[in-house]
Amino acid sequence: MAGILAWFWNERFWLPHNVTWADLKNTEEATFPQAEDLYLAFPLAFCIFMVRLIFERFVAKPCAIALNIQANGPQIAQPNAILEKVFTAITKHPDEKRLEGLSKQLDWDVRSIQRWFRQRRNQEKPSTLTRFCESMWRFSFYLYVFSYGVRFLKKTPWLWNTRHCWYNYPYQPLTTDLHYYYILELSFYWSLMFSQFTDIKRKDFGIMFVHHLASISLITFSYVNNMARVGTLVLCLHDSADALLEAAKMANYAKFQKMCDLLFVMFAMVFITTRLGIFPLWVLNTTLFESWEIVGPYPSWWVFNLLLLLIQGLNCFWSYLIVKIACKAVSKGKVSKDDRSDIESSSDDEDAEPPWKNPHTTTTTNGTSGSNGYLLTGPCSMDD
């Protein structure tokens, strides 16, 4: 184990040339990031999850009820042992051949069996009340953490001149505000990583899992080798659009159509501007070029920038899907129910007939499902 730890914490990987871990030990004059600080994220992630449960129960739920959002679930499918066995053990989406077989076995018409499977799938979907409570929690946290990030960064020199991220690197003292900001963000993304398995399941589960993993890796990497200054820029920039998305979803659940449309347009504009414009031209420029000029590359520098490029690739993918949804909305005059059902759908397109049954159904809806799940869960700054 000692050998494995020595290999993992190799100074030549993590730190620039001629810098050792001993050089970054805390002293009376200065405090630097320490790897063991990251252990604080795990109990704090649990606390954040518990705060979420309390918030959803005693704050979000009363707000939802005040907005006349019902807790009633979908219509319950009538009990049928044969169909239930097929649903649980074989498939939730029977094909035409299986439907015909079940029709003969039960003496039901095919349409009734299709309706039963649709109702049974809908039983597993969360109610609108549950969705609203989850979105209100995310909205509240994103709004708080983004506001905190802006208040913190506007007092720092590296917000106005990104070259300050690399002057005297890595001997840059860790302030209390920066430490709190970093640990809070890391704890939140750990809580998202764990709660992803219990929350509303979306179609882009795999993509979001990779995104959360990349975000946690970025936060961890940048803290351990003291790239925290540029890390705060990445965090705050990626938090900028998240609250707007959750607000749009809340408006949708409350059936405030015009507000939902307006908030979605605002979200799309902020998301695309920050992630396709400001992020590459401002943040990637300093991590790739200014840092190369002032500090020079070293192994963990390459890993850090590769992770940032991975995040940017996901940003491009999601931006494409957001534009696609926006174009559909413009052509229809609003963010229609179908568009929002794409945005907010869980693991199944419940109300749509199978493609083989409806010749007008194409794979376009499924093609947008990746963004739709993402839009529902929200961008994971360094996220996302």
Side-chain angles (χ1 to χ4, degrees), residues 99-384:
L99 286 171
E100 291 176 353
L102 290 170
S103 176
K104 295 176 181 179
Q105 183 178 359
L106 297 173
D107 195 24
W108 286 18
D109 61 85
V110 171
R111 187 68 178 175
S112 297
I113 297 175
Q114 286 179 317
R115 186 181 302 109
W116 188 94
F117 273 93
R118 184 163 56 249
Q119 291 174 350
R120 183 63 181 83
R121 289 193 299 268
N122 284 338
Q123 286 180 218
E124 299 188 345
K125 293 176 63 176
S127 66
T128 303
L129 179 66
T130 301
R131 294 174 183 268
F132 180 91
C133 291
E134 179 180 318
S135 289
M136 189 171 180
W137 158 250
R138 291 175 184 265
F139 168 80
S140 302
F141 183 88
Y142 288 139
L143 183 62
Y144 166 73
V145 77
F146 176 67
S147 301
Y148 180 87
V150 170
R151 291 198 307 271
F152 164 67
L153 284 172
K154 70 180 183 181
K155 299 180 293 184
T156 63
W158 61 86
L159 175 66
W160 315 106
N161 182 358
T162 53
R163 298 179 72 88
H164 281 277
C165 293
W166 312 108
Y167 291 151
N168 197 37
Y169 175 82
Y171 306 107
Q172 298 168 341
L174 177 70
T175 65
T176 302
D177 289 340
L178 194 155
H179 177 260
Y180 170 77
Y181 187 32
Y182 243 71
I183 297 300
L184 180 64
E185 289 273 15
L186 180 60
S187 302
F188 180 68
Y189 288 114
W190 270 120
S191 72
L192 287 182
M193 176 72 81
F194 297 137
S195 65
Q196 190 178 14
F197 295 94
T198 59
D199 284 344
I200 302 167
K201 189 174 182 180
R202 279 118 184 161
K203 299 174 185 177
D204 64 344
F205 177 89
I207 295 175
M208 288 308 300
F209 184 83
V210 171
H211 184 274
H212 294 331
L213 192 61
S215 301
I216 290 171
S217 300
L218 273 169
I219 296 173
T220 302
F221 258 83
S222 57
Y223 189 85
V224 168
N225 62 6
N226 205 12
M227 289 186 179
R229 290 187 176 184
V230 73
T232 58
L233 300 180
V234 178
L235 288 168
C236 191
L237 190 66
H238 279 73
D239 286 336
S240 59
D242 294 345
L244 288 172
L245 171 62
E246 300 302 331
K249 287 157 50 181
M250 290 163 60
N252 171 41
Y253 300 141
K255 302 187 185 304
F256 297 152
Q257 177 66 55
K258 292 183 178 179
M259 183 180 295
C260 173
D261 295 344
L262 176 61
L263 289 168
F264 180 80
V265 170
M266 293 173 60
F267 158 75
M269 293 175 61
V270 173
F271 185 95
I272 293 172
T273 300
T274 55
R275 306 208 183 190
L276 297 190
I278 299 175
F279 181 67
L281 296 178
W282 187 47
V283 175
L284 290 181
N285 176 67
T286 191
T287 61
L288 288 170
F289 303 110
E290 291 180 348
S291 65
W292 183 293
E293 175 187 346
I294 298 172
V295 179
Y298 51 98
S300 68
W301 178 94
W302 290 100
V303 175
F304 180 74
N305 280 286
L306 285 173
L307 288 170
L308 286 177
L309 292 173
L310 172 62
I311 294 293
Q312 182 60 10
L314 292 173
N315 289 340
C316 293
F317 171 72
W318 284 318
S319 296
Y320 160 74
L321 295 172
I322 291 170
V323 170
K324 192 173 182 179
I325 294 173
C327 289
K328 288 173 62 181
V330 169
S331 67
K332 296 179 181 180
K334 63 179 181 178
V335 181
S336 69
K337 181 178 180 181
D338 289 340
D339 291 317
R340 290 196 308 274
S341 67
D342 282 344
I343 295 170
E344 296 154 2
S345 62
S346 54
S347 57
D348 299 303
D349 288 326
E350 311 303 354
D351 296 325
E353 288 194 357
W356 54 262
K357 189 68 176 176
N358 185 353
H360 300 291
T361 302
T362 67
T363 57
T364 301
T365 300
N366 290 336
T368 60
S369 65
S371 78
N372 304 334
Y374 164 73
L375 291 179
L376 182 60
T377 54
C380 286
S381 341
M382 191 160 144
D383 262 5
D384 326 350

